[in-house]
Amino acid sequence: MIGKVEKYLLDRIQQYDAIHISLIDPEKVTPQSASKIAREVESCKTAAIMIGGSTLTSTSHLDDVVEAIKKTVKIPVILFPNNITGICKYADAIWFMSLLNSSDPYFITGAQILGAPIIKKFGLEVIPLGYIIVGENSAASVVGRACPIPYAKPELAVAHALAAQYFGMRFVYLEAGSGAKRPPANDMIRMVKESTYIPLIVGGGMRTGEQVKEVVDAGADIIVTGTLIEERGGVDKIRELVDCLKTDRKARDDRF
Ligand code: 1GP
């Protein structure tokens, strides 16, 4: 069943050409600084906040961070867990994600099986997601024991994305890794978008409006940025990226 947060994301994608989501790594913030960041990104018209990172210190810290953010902003807060320690009762929803190109079954179904009863107990909205790591090695690929899909092999990304769709996952995510030298390749995004109909999320290594335009023109429905907001002048950069989301939807849709 599609829940409130998922419906909100789908409506926003329908209404705008593409949407931006801000990622906050709980390891890098205090509850106070997380609230401040959340308020700032909300003012930039980011559509939602994702909470997650490749490593995590403690679940009580995660609770404090998410609770503080929830008290500050109205936009949805969605968990982006790297493990069962990334589950928290204060969030609105959770990406129920499987790392499709992991070589370790724990990251494909193991953690999900352990986490499912906790998610049910907390009453979190669940959004099924196929997660695919591309590009060079990143913290996410090392922790998740993934074999990243090379940018020059877009057909492999298509195969993984199709599998996500055929499994019934409702979103698919091409992840270059936080702080990646460059975002997922435009050809790869374009081929995945042309071959699938579930919304496409793209994240990792986006820093400029130009990159955002290219990624959205190639077919991304949601772009995620994390690192940028941690930098000096980050809020202005996020505002610039959100402004660059607008594309010629008709031209894009005609192509698909
Ligand atoms: C989330 O990895 C992205 O999927 C975030 O990447 O930190 O490079 O924006 P950046």
Side-chain angles (χ1 to χ4, degrees):
M1 203 184 70
I2 292 182
K4 227 167 93 179
V5 175
E6 185 170 350
K7 185 168 181 322
Y8 161 87
L9 294 176
L10 295 174
D11 287 349
R12 300 271 301 211
I13 292 169
Q14 193 61 39
Q15 186 180 355
Y16 302 93
D17 295 333
I19 61 174
H20 174 265
I21 297 184
S22 298
L23 174 66
I24 297 177
D25 184 343
E27 275 233 305
K28 296 184 179 160
V29 290
T30 61
Q32 293 73 22
S33 67
S35 292
K36 181 170 175 284
I37 292 171
R39 189 176 303 114
E40 287 171 347
V41 294
E42 187 179 52
S43 78
C44 298
K45 304 234 177 324
T46 198
I49 292 173
M50 276 167 40
I51 309 283
S54 295
T55 51
L56 188 70
T57 39
S58 84
T59 47
S60 71
H61 176 67
L62 176 68
D63 280 348
D64 293 344
V65 166
V66 177
E67 198 181 9
I69 294 173
K70 274 302 295 169
K71 281 187 185 148
T72 311
V73 295
K74 292 200 171 63
I75 51 176
V77 175
I78 309 171
L79 300 171
F80 183 52
N82 70 325
N83 208 330
I84 52 169
T85 46
I87 307 173
C88 157
K89 63 182 173 194
Y90 298 108
D92 297 297
I94 184 166
W95 292 117
F96 195 74
M97 50 202 278
S98 173
L99 177 48
L100 296 174
N101 57 331
S102 177
S103 57
D104 184 341
Y106 181 77
F107 294 102
I108 307 170
T109 54
Q112 295 77 355
I113 290 165
L114 293 174
I118 307 172
I119 292 170
K120 184 165 173 62
K121 187 171 149 208
F122 289 168
L124 290 167
E125 178 181 331
V126 167
I127 314 178
L129 167 71
Y131 190 50
I132 304 164
I133 297 184
V134 303
E136 291 161 17
N137 263 328
S138 58
S141 69
V142 171
V143 171
R145 299 183 208 284
C147 185
I149 298 175
Y151 287 161
K153 298 285 173 199
E155 66 278 8
L156 287 178
V158 169
H160 283 71
L162 275 174
Q165 179 175 296
Y166 296 158
F167 270 130
M169 293 163 176
R170 297 201 289 263
F171 289 76
V172 65
Y173 196 136
L174 291 181
E175 169 72 88
S178 190
K181 281 195 211 112
R182 56 198 170 111
N186 295 329
D187 276 359
M188 183 181 271
I189 297 170
R190 192 168 291 112
M191 278 178 65
V192 167
K193 189 62 191 174
E194 284 172 0
S195 309
T196 54
Y197 55 74
I198 52 178
L200 173 58
I201 308 173
V202 176
M206 264 172 285
R207 316 185 46 80
T208 67
E210 203 46 48
Q211 285 171 325
V212 166
K213 272 190 193 138
E214 285 181 15
V215 162
V216 170
D217 281 346
D221 297 295
I222 299 178
I223 63 151
V224 179
T225 64
T227 313
L228 218 49
I229 192 68
E230 295 158 17
E231 297 173 1
R232 188 183 285 271
V235 192
D236 294 333
K237 285 186 188 160
I238 299 287
R239 193 163 285 121
E240 185 201 330
L241 297 201
V242 174
D243 278 348
C244 287
L245 288 171
K246 298 177 191 78
T247 183
D248 184 355
R249 177 119 213 171
K250 184 154 183 337
R252 203 178 83 147
D253 288 350
D254 284 350
R255 215 176 55 227
F256 299 141

